[in-house]
Amino acid sequence: MWVLMLPALVPVALFSVGPLLYGIGLAFTDARNARDHETSFVGLENLVQLLADDDFWSSFRIGMIWGVSVTVLQFLAALGLALLLNQDLRLRNVARVLAVVPWAMPPVVIGLMWKLVYHPDAGILNGLLGTDVNWLADFSLALPAIIVVGVWTGMPQTTVVLLAGLQGIPRELYEAGEVDGACRWRRFWSITLPQLRPVIVAITSLDFVWNVNQFGLVYVLTQGGPGGRTRLPMLFAYEEAFRYRYAGYASMLGLAMAVVVLAVLGLCLWRQMRETAR
Amino acid sequence: MRMKSALAAAAVIALAAGCGSGGSGGGQAEPGEPVKLTFLSLAWQKESLAANKQLVEEWNKANAGIQVTYVQGSWDNVNDQLVTQFAGGTAPDVIHNDSPALSGFAADGYLLDLSGRLPADLKADIPRPAWDTVTFGDGKGGQGVYGVPFLQESQVVIANRKLLDASGVRLPTPDNPWTWDEFAEAARKMTKDGVFGVAWPMKSPVNKTLNLALNFGGTFFRTAGGRTTVKVGPEEKQVLQRIHDQLYKDRSADPAALGQGTADPLPAFYKGEFAMLPAGVYLRQQVAEQAPDGFEWVTLPPLKGTTTQQGAVSQTLSIARDSKHPDEAMKFIAFFLNGPNQARLAKGDWLLPTSVKAASDPAITTKENGWDVATASAKDLVVAPFLRVNGFDEWKSKVATPVLQEFYSNKISIDEAARRLVADGDKVLERYQR
């Protein structure tokens, strides 16, 4: 039996599990990207250093602000859009296709496109508002500016998943609600939301993981600037590994982020399972 | 079935092995076959690109035995790219970079020490101070030469001719340059009717500030007993305070330019919204090409503090330590950077050549486009003190860039800026001195 699974397992082990274990191993060494460097095992030294690193904590805070606000805003906007697209509108199918378009774009292209939107001299945004703001270089505006882009980027898949969820809700429930005299709001609150709940939990936790691990988009937009105000944890790890060449330290950072994300996810899923079990 | 999966496993292993050995430069050349070299170039200005490619072509035509492939890189991400390529063993043989990046790569053992390999005439053609910008520790207590320096940049002032003449200030010459006081005075005189005297684009403030700080002897780093620490004393504060005064006390500097990159204020400069733009000599290229007809501009020599000295970094060509053909690579570099060729490269990039022979080339000593002033400023260049500081790059991006940006936008005082440059800076440098 295991022989039959081998062709599928070998690539997984070779290209996924292997590098993962290697990365975890690196986190406990003083590995550097240097030719003459002798790597040695240092135990938890990287972790100790990480916990005392102010730059890490500010990056972590930015990462959490980014992850939570993008996920929440994305969810609210996507829910609205999904409810709209679930109505019996004219040209509904065209609208559904249009809503998915951003999904087809690679993050780097989205980044370049929004960079043009935010451009201080030639940007559409300054043109529309008649302002003269350098959005991506302003210390207090840069983070909100990229959050908007993050929400825009992630909306399509959230919308599609929520829409699928909406269509799975049996019509009879709404009919029964109407018969009982429930108003629109009441029907939404007591039928739609509870029925969507598993879908919402699943897509929101997935979105959170994706957003916290976002890299390409922000790298293109700001490279973590100005003055580190948009330096998400993954950008921080990238800089540590490929700019300052502390590969071991960067691996520990990646590992710590993975643990945090897994903890958040675990909490959500555990609560969900407990609810369904009851 | 067992057979098939064994085959599949073997195929995967073969594939992985193939990936691992597909290393640099194509391996050892067969006898009679030409040696193949790759050359990573970072040229980006149009004329400079043309000059680079043409030189490679000329070399390939003249040397059938050593064929060079031109590979295009970009200043934006060259160091990230090199870290990965070095680690993966796929680095190019000949590498174009600048001296601040070399010290790290040299200490990590990725670059070849050229000191025993330099041809005598190349070595003699480039003066000592330029070689100082590429001489670094090898990470094991020794010193080596890790590149051939060929283009340098000095900070000059590009000025609007009409506004300059109208103000009636004395015109500075290379022999009798403006002091910073005269410069401030001139900027004040030119500030009227909505026109500003000067613009300081400070999106990337660190190198500009540090190079100019040497005018007053400001070095920003101090090494004692093998430990390097950050130092911000009265000498370092001079240039910081003078630029800040122009922005917020004299109000002779255009506030709109402050957050911009070096070339961004040019459209406003052509419109006459401000009179003077302190910038690297290379910026003359864009002014010469883009300025509207009838726009007259001049290049003013570097300013004088207690001296006219400025910190210099160089563009460099290096050889990867893992290159299989270092001797051939050295021959190519010696050709690429000989006097006449350096003059072509300098002209293409509008920078200053290190070669003494190239510096006397009529093409870069003409009055046209301020070449005479630019080339004369080469005498003021001394090795930038921060070049030898291990960890400078991290200090620059994590500490100095945000602090200087906040200081120039008047969010923090000069004492607070100095405190953070030193306290946060020493913490960063600590990491490199364990």
Side-chain angles (χ1 to χ4, degrees):
Chain A
M1 195 56 208
W2 66 272
V3 174
L4 289 175
M5 282 164 66
L6 207 57
L9 281 182
V10 165
V12 171
L14 208 63
F15 298 118
S16 185
V17 180
L20 191 71
L21 292 177
Y22 179 64
I24 294 176
L26 270 188
F28 299 96
T29 68
D30 65 349
R32 298 205 49 196
N33 283 322
R35 187 179 189 271
D36 296 340
H37 180 76
E38 298 258 333
T39 301
S40 52
F41 181 78
V42 295
L44 290 175
E45 197 181 292
N46 285 331
L47 185 64
V48 173
Q49 199 189 334
L50 189 69
L51 295 180
D53 189 344
D54 294 340
D55 287 320
F56 166 69
W57 286 111
S58 74
S59 167
F60 184 78
R61 214 189 57 238
I62 292 167
M64 285 302 127
I65 294 175
W66 156 270
V68 171
S69 51
V70 172
T71 308
V72 169
L73 294 174
Q74 218 168 51
F75 167 71
L76 293 177
L79 184 63
L81 190 60
L83 287 170
L84 193 70
L85 292 178
N86 199 32
Q87 302 294 317
D88 232 344
L89 296 173
R90 222 185 321 169
L91 297 179
R92 185 170 65 169
N93 290 329
V94 179
R96 280 184 185 173
V97 171
L98 282 180
V100 185
V101 165
W103 206 356
M105 289 195 210
V108 172
V109 177
I110 295 176
L112 290 174
M113 195 181 82
W114 278 88
K115 221 175 162 169
L116 291 180
V117 172
Y118 284 135
H119 194 283
D121 297 322
I124 306 167
L125 192 59
N126 275 339
L128 276 179
L129 300 178
T131 49
D132 191 19
V133 181
N134 196 348
W135 300 94
L136 296 174
D138 189 289
F139 275 66
S140 45
L141 290 177
L143 187 58
I146 62 164
I147 286 176
V148 170
V149 185
V151 172
W152 186 86
T153 313
M155 253 176 67
Q157 62 262 44
T158 317
T159 309
V160 169
V161 173
L162 289 176
L163 186 58
L166 282 175
Q167 296 186 338
I169 301 175
R171 291 235 64 87
E172 299 82 56
L173 290 179
Y174 290 105
E175 283 159 15
E178 252 170 276
V179 171
D180 288 346
C183 63
R184 239 164 209 286
W185 173 247
R186 188 64 204 265
R187 269 177 278 154
F188 171 74
W189 193 252
S190 307
I191 300 174
T192 312
L193 272 189
Q195 287 288 316
L196 265 186
R197 202 186 144 96
V199 178
I200 291 174
V201 170
I203 189 66
T204 307
S205 26
L206 279 178
D207 275 346
F208 182 72
V209 176
W210 278 327
N211 289 329
V212 167
N213 290 334
Q214 181 60 263
F215 174 81
L217 192 65
V218 184
Y219 183 80
V220 173
L221 279 170
T222 63
Q223 298 216 321
R229 298 299 157 100
T230 59
R231 193 190 282 133
L232 302 185
M234 289 307 128
L235 281 159
F236 189 74
Y238 174 83
E239 280 183 6
E240 289 296 322
F242 294 103
R243 197 154 173 197
Y244 315 130
R245 298 168 221 166
Y246 288 97
Y249 188 60
S251 304
M252 179 52 88
L253 208 155
L255 190 60
M257 286 314 293
V259 169
V260 169
V261 168
L262 283 179
V264 172
L265 262 188
L267 197 71
C268 288
L269 293 179
W270 175 68
R271 279 189 50 187
Q272 172 69 17
M273 302 240 274
R274 213 178 45 170
E275 299 259 323
T276 31
R278 241 191 316 199
Chain B
M1 218 57 214
R2 215 169 257 271
M3 193 62 208
K4 240 185 201 165
S5 54
L7 272 179
V12 166
I13 287 162
L15 200 78
C19 292
S21 68
S24 69
Q28 212 67 41
E30 303 277 318
E33 272 203 20
V35 168
K36 287 198 172 112
L37 296 177
T38 46
F39 166 41
L40 178 73
S41 163
L42 304 178
W44 58 277
Q45 306 215 57
K46 209 170 102 203
E47 298 168 50
S48 155
L49 262 178
N52 269 271
K53 287 187 175 159
Q54 208 182 346
L55 284 178
V56 170
E57 215 168 283
E58 284 171 21
W59 166 269
N60 282 342
K61 227 174 257 169
N63 296 275
I66 309 173
Q67 291 295 300
V68 175
T69 311
Y70 179 97
V71 180
Q72 185 66 54
S74 152
W75 286 107
D76 293 338
N77 55 15
V78 61
N79 291 321
D80 299 3
Q81 177 189 345
L82 283 174
V83 168
T84 0
Q85 287 194 317
F86 279 135
T90 56
D93 300 280
V94 178
I95 299 162
H96 180 190
N97 208 329
D98 61 3
S99 45
L102 295 191
S103 72
F105 286 124
D108 288 347
Y110 285 126
L111 296 177
L112 192 68
D113 177 7
L114 306 178
S115 38
R117 295 173 184 268
L118 295 168
D121 47 343
L122 180 69
K123 203 171 167 183
D125 189 28
I126 297 174
R128 181 84 222 160
W131 287 113
D132 283 345
T133 64
V134 291
T135 308
F136 298 108
D138 59 4
K140 285 177 285 190
Q143 290 267 316
V145 173
Y146 290 99
V148 180
F150 68 107
L151 291 176
Q152 295 188 321
E153 172 188 330
S154 63
Q155 300 283 325
V156 290
V157 178
I158 298 175
N160 180 322
R161 182 86 210 208
K162 274 183 197 145
L163 294 174
L164 187 69
D165 289 346
S167 71
V169 294
R170 175 182 78 87
L171 274 186
T173 62
D175 296 324
N176 190 7
W178 274 347
T179 61
W180 275 81
D181 289 333
E182 282 180 280
F183 171 62
E185 175 65 33
R188 274 198 297 271
K189 276 193 184 151
M190 290 178 216
T191 304
K192 58 182 171 201
D193 313 327
V195 174
F196 287 96
V198 64
W200 286 103
M202 284 295 186
K203 187 180 172 195
S204 318
V206 181
N207 284 34
K208 207 177 277 180
T209 306
L210 264 56
N211 287 336
L212 287 175
L214 268 190
N215 284 170
F216 292 93
T219 56
F220 278 90
F221 294 96
R222 163 173 53 198
T223 302
R227 297 190 73 76
T228 303
T229 49
V230 186
K231 149 179 176 285
V232 185
E235 297 91 359
E236 283 77 15
K237 284 182 184 167
Q238 284 277 355
V239 164
L240 288 180
Q241 188 64 56
R242 282 165 189 269
I243 294 174
H244 195 272
D245 281 351
Q246 290 195 321
L247 280 160
Y248 302 102
K249 206 172 107 200
D250 299 352
R251 301 201 175 269
S252 57
D254 187 351
L258 188 65
Q260 296 183 319
T262 305
D264 298 338
L266 284 178
F269 180 58
Y270 305 142
K271 279 190 220 149
E273 289 174 20
F274 60 87
M276 298 186 289
L277 181 62
V281 283
Y282 71 92
L283 202 69
R284 292 172 303 135
Q285 189 259 354
Q286 292 190 36
V287 180
E289 281 210 341
Q290 300 169 354
D293 292 339
F295 182 84
E296 286 181 67
W297 59 283
V298 285
T299 306
L300 305 180
L303 303 175
K304 185 175 180 205
T306 47
T307 67
T308 47
Q309 286 192 346
Q310 293 187 0
V313 302
S314 315
Q315 292 190 27
T316 56
L317 290 188
S318 309
I319 301 176
R321 178 138 140 224
D322 290 328
S323 165
K324 295 203 175 66
H325 309 290
D327 297 327
E328 288 83 355
M330 191 68 241
K331 277 186 203 148
F332 172 68
I333 292 180
F335 159 81
F336 203 78
L337 299 184
N338 68 24
N341 288 346
Q342 266 205 41
R344 282 160 76 182
L345 292 170
K347 197 163 176 346
D349 248 336
W350 295 65
L351 287 166
L352 313 174
T354 55
S355 155
V356 178
K357 275 183 219 147
S360 60
D361 190 301
I364 57 172
T365 47
T366 159
K367 271 205 167 342
E368 200 185 334
N369 291 330
W371 272 106
D372 53 342
V373 175
T375 305
S377 68
K379 68 175 188 324
D380 300 319
L381 295 177
V382 295
V383 57
F386 59 79
L387 267 188
R388 299 267 155 65
V389 176
N390 218 344
F392 170 72
D393 189 34
E394 190 174 342
W395 177 76
K396 176 178 160 181
S397 71
K398 279 193 186 162
V399 182
T401 303
V403 168
L404 289 182
Q405 280 174 346
E406 283 177 48
F407 170 68
Y408 286 131
S409 49
N410 210 17
K411 290 204 178 85
I412 54 174
S413 71
I414 192 161
D415 293 322
E416 170 69 5
R419 191 192 62 73
R420 280 173 53 190
L421 286 173
V422 174
D424 299 353
D426 284 345
K427 226 186 279 171
V428 168
L429 295 187
E430 181 81 6
R431 190 180 188 191
Y432 292 83
Q433 302 183 3
R434 279 198 205 122

